[in-house]
Amino acid sequence: MNILKDVISNELCSGCGACVYVCGKGAIHIGRTNIGRLYAIVDDKKCISCGICHKVCPSTDDASACLLSRISNNDKIVGDIQNVFVGHSANQRIYENAQSGGAVTQILYSLLKAGKIDAALVCRTDACHEGNYTHPVVVTQPDDLFPTQRSYYSPVDLLTSLVAVEQYKRVAIVGCPCQIQGITMLQKYHRSENVQLKIGLICDRCMSSACNQTILKFLLGSRAKLDYRAKLTHKRKNLYNGHNAYRYAPMLVELSGSGVPPTLAQGNALRLFLKDFFTPIRCLACYDKLNTQADIVCGDPWEMSNVDWDNGDSVIITRSKMGNETITQLKQTGDLILQNAPL
């Protein structure tokens, strides 16, 4: 019996890709439902029922127990925390191009530039007819990080690309909680041990990719049938010139093709309305919105004080010794402009 199929049939697969990477027989690949939800597909003809996919899957009872046991704090949802900061990148190009404070990009930029990591596994979004093609990319040069900035709210089978970083000794990875859980479980079984820094994103559900398609069809109307390529960014703080520009940053659709306008802007109310309709079931069962298995966690500082709501800031949580040392050093060198924040 293939136990992983119980995860799949109960719609608990997050599509993180850990099982694809670890399968030595190439018996698993990631599929996509008609609304864009990712899930693992097992080829019974290739599967030898070794069980390694089940061991590394973060959505099983055993994995949940293992991950929770790694947290010493009694509050398993908050997790172990060394420090909390609020601030932003000191690099003006990174800061202006960022969704919020540009913290993730600045961390990776500084580490690559200083030669402290050899590569970073991140995601990038390119324009396509369906409205965003989001995929994993390996970055080895600091300036190649700029096209990966901002959030695009699309599911990605990030860990399937771990094979692409096997040649590097020191790797950083950026992921949502389910993806960071996946790499944590892989490392429990001595896989991907070259991933030395895990940067987690605070996540309040990842919408299926069909949400972006729905937004595009709504904005384009009758022009949705035309030949075009589109890229949808959900927060563009530089488009809103009033007070609290970052807080109320609208969506921007950048279009190319005949008969379509070059850009369309729309407030975030439409995305927030559609969110409940396009949230995968797996996200509704997630307890780990604060990414407790990461070394460093970054996100939007909603409801926190001392935040630059016009230009944007990031909240940064350090969870491990390595994560805390990394952020402390970047604060000391001035790469990150930070102030301590209360838990």
Side-chain angles (χ1 to χ4, degrees):
M1 177 182 178
N2 189 318
I3 306 176
L4 191 64
K5 286 188 176 180
D6 286 350
V7 174
I8 299 167
S9 63
N10 285 299
E11 298 191 35
L12 292 176
C13 175
S14 66
C16 71
C19 57
V20 177
Y21 172 70
V22 81
C23 180
K25 299 297 180 180
I28 309 174
H29 69 277
I30 299 296
R32 188 183 296 267
T33 69
N34 59 355
I35 67 163
R37 181 178 65 83
L38 300 181
Y39 69 105
I41 299 174
V42 180
D43 186 341
D44 291 328
K45 295 180 180 179
K46 295 181 179 179
C47 178
I48 61 172
S49 298
C50 66
I52 186 62
C53 59
H54 183 262
K55 289 180 179 179
V56 303
C57 176
S59 294
T60 65
D61 288 342
D62 290 343
S64 292
C66 173
L67 293 166
L68 289 169
S69 70
R70 290 169 50 89
I71 302 171
S72 59
N73 188 354
N74 289 330
D75 191 334
K76 302 298 184 181
I77 292 176
V78 171
D80 297 326
I81 291 179
Q82 296 207 3
N83 273 303
V84 182
F85 305 92
V86 169
H88 56 267
S89 168
N91 183 310
Q92 200 62 24
R93 182 182 176 190
I94 292 176
Y95 188 30
E96 291 179 356
N97 193 48
Q99 172 181 302
S100 48
V104 173
T105 303
Q106 184 62 66
I107 294 167
L108 296 176
Y109 188 93
S110 298
L111 294 178
L112 283 171
K113 193 172 182 180
K116 294 185 177 181
I117 59 172
D118 305 311
L121 180 56
V122 295
C123 293
R124 187 181 74 207
T125 293
D126 298 325
C128 70
H129 184 75
E130 291 79 13
N132 292 2
Y133 167 52
T134 308
H135 55 102
V137 292
V138 178
V139 174
T140 59
Q141 300 298 321
D143 285 347
D144 290 339
L145 288 165
F146 292 105
T148 72
Q149 284 194 272
R150 305 194 190 103
S151 295
Y152 298 92
Y153 302 106
S154 295
V156 183
D157 52 341
L158 179 69
L159 304 186
T160 60
S161 293
L162 284 171
V163 65
V165 296
E166 286 180 342
Q167 60 183 302
Y168 303 104
K169 292 183 178 181
R170 299 165 300 172
V171 176
I173 189 170
V174 180
C176 293
C178 52
Q179 296 161 342
I180 298 299
Q181 288 181 356
I183 190 69
T184 302
M185 292 306 299
L186 284 167
Q187 292 183 331
K188 171 180 168 60
Y189 294 98
H190 307 291
R191 309 296 179 98
S192 298
E193 293 182 309
N194 61 334
V195 176
Q196 297 183 1
L197 184 68
K198 295 177 288 186
I199 301 176
L201 305 174
I202 295 175
C203 180
D204 182 29
R205 298 173 284 164
C206 182
M207 298 173 293
S208 61
S209 57
C211 186
N212 288 333
Q213 299 170 28
T214 302
I215 291 171
L216 273 179
K217 289 179 180 179
F218 175 84
L219 294 179
L220 288 170
S222 60
R223 292 172 297 190
K225 298 179 181 179
L226 298 175
D227 183 23
Y228 67 89
R229 292 172 64 84
K231 183 175 180 180
L232 192 157
T233 310
H234 286 279
K235 291 180 182 177
R236 289 295 289 269
K237 59 189 180 184
N238 57 337
L239 294 180
Y240 192 96
N241 296 319
H243 183 56
N244 284 340
Y246 159 65
R247 183 189 284 274
Y248 301 112
M251 298 183 293
L252 179 70
V253 181
E254 299 169 270
L255 296 151
S256 59
S258 59
V260 294
T263 58
L264 290 170
Q266 175 76 18
N268 61 9
L270 177 60
R271 173 176 62 84
L272 296 175
F273 170 76
L274 291 172
K275 191 170 186 177
D276 286 339
F277 296 95
F278 290 96
T279 296
I281 290 175
R282 173 63 177 83
C283 290
L284 300 179
C286 180
Y287 64 88
D288 194 22
K289 296 181 183 298
L290 290 180
N291 224 319
T292 56
Q293 304 299 316
D295 298 297
I296 300 169
V297 180
C298 299
D300 294 316
W302 301 124
E303 307 310 323
M304 297 183 71
S305 58
N306 299 319
V307 173
D308 184 345
W309 293 113
D310 291 329
N311 301 297
D313 276 333
S314 300
V315 57
I316 301 176
I317 301 169
T318 59
R319 297 195 179 280
S320 69
K321 180 180 178 182
M322 178 187 296
N324 197 56
E325 289 177 350
T326 298
I327 297 303
T328 300
Q329 185 171 12
L330 294 181
K331 181 182 179 183
Q332 291 173 347
T333 58
D335 290 16
L336 287 170
I337 301 173
L338 302 176
Q339 56 183 324
N340 287 83
L343 175 59

